[in-house]
Amino acid sequence: MGTLSVSQNKLQKRLRRLTGEAVADFNMIEHGDKVMVCLSGGKDSYTLLDVLLHLQKVAPIQFEIVAVNMDQKQPGFPEDVLPAYLKSLGVQYHIVEKDTYSVVKELIPEGKTTCSLCSRLRRGTLYTFADEIGATKMALGHHRDDIVETFFLNMFFNGTLKAMPPKLRSDDGRNVVIRPLAYCNEKDIQAYSDLQQFPIIPCNLCGSQENLQRQVVKDMLVEWERKTPGRTESIFRSLQNVMPSQLADRNLYDFKNLKIDDNAAPRFVNLLNL
């Protein structure tokens, strides 16, 4: 790639800056960490690897990067693309082969959404592999829009207020997942991916499914953003500014024992005593 234009340079700097801020805010990467970057072949994970490689060069700490791709044995998957790309970068990498494609196709009826099961199987395999190679952090390519979409999906369909945290410890305590692109928006990532001409590998398992609930939510947010620019960013900021006393979760706030504070200062001054 040749010299970047002014706008392209700003795009690259913005992604690097926002990633650095997220890493610092949540203490995602520490000195001596071995960061396993989960590379799917999509625009998000390519951008994640690209930005982390830059961060590795300029950060005041030292940490190791190893790229890992999971070959789920989808028909027609171009097995040579990722190894060739990673070799060209000189990045240490592993290809984990696990036929989750057959499992998903066997268990999920035709026409039903496969993403949930596919994701669980992939996550379990990657958790185990991270443990095997001694990775202290697992980096995923989820961005700000993914986080906001997940928030609404959980609220609309699961009745819970939760999203994708920028940093997460697995239930068994064996893995720490980080999302360094948490402050970056999808539009910038798409533009950067196009600029860098990453060798994108489409997902043949779920990429062609129609009427996915996530796509419905994504379309909703796009329309909101079109009508009111900045709304998605505002929603994301709300996830960082939670007020349990203003919600209704009795496990987060002690509503049961909420009473008048007898020691509170009087609201009105007794004028007769002035």
Side-chain angles (χ1 to χ4, degrees), residues 145-146 149-150 153 164 212-219:
D145 298 62
D146 286 326
E149 289 164 13
T150 301
L153 282 168
M164 293 175 171
L212 293 176
Q213 294 295 356
R214 179 172 291 274
Q215 187 60 48
V216 174
V217 171
K218 181 187 290 289
D219 292 341

Side-chain angles (χ1 to χ4, degrees), residues 38 40 70 72 74 98-101 103-105 107-108 113-128 138 140 142 146 150 153 164 168 177 179 203 205-206 209 212 214:
C38 300
S40 66
M70 183 176 165
Q72 298 177 264
Q74 296 180 23
K98 186 80 170 181
D99 188 4
T100 60
Y101 178 88
V103 176
V104 171
K105 297 301 287 184
L107 296 178
I108 302 297
T113 303
T114 60
C115 293
S116 179
L117 176 60
C118 179
S119 177
R120 290 199 302 273
L121 293 173
R122 184 172 62 249
R123 183 167 58 246
T125 300
L126 290 174
Y127 275 2
T128 301
M138 283 178 58
L140 304 181
H142 299 122
D146 286 326
T150 301
L153 282 168
M164 293 175 171
L168 172 72
V177 173
R179 296 181 169 97
C203 176
L205 178 58
C206 61
Q209 290 183 327
L212 293 176
R214 179 172 291 274

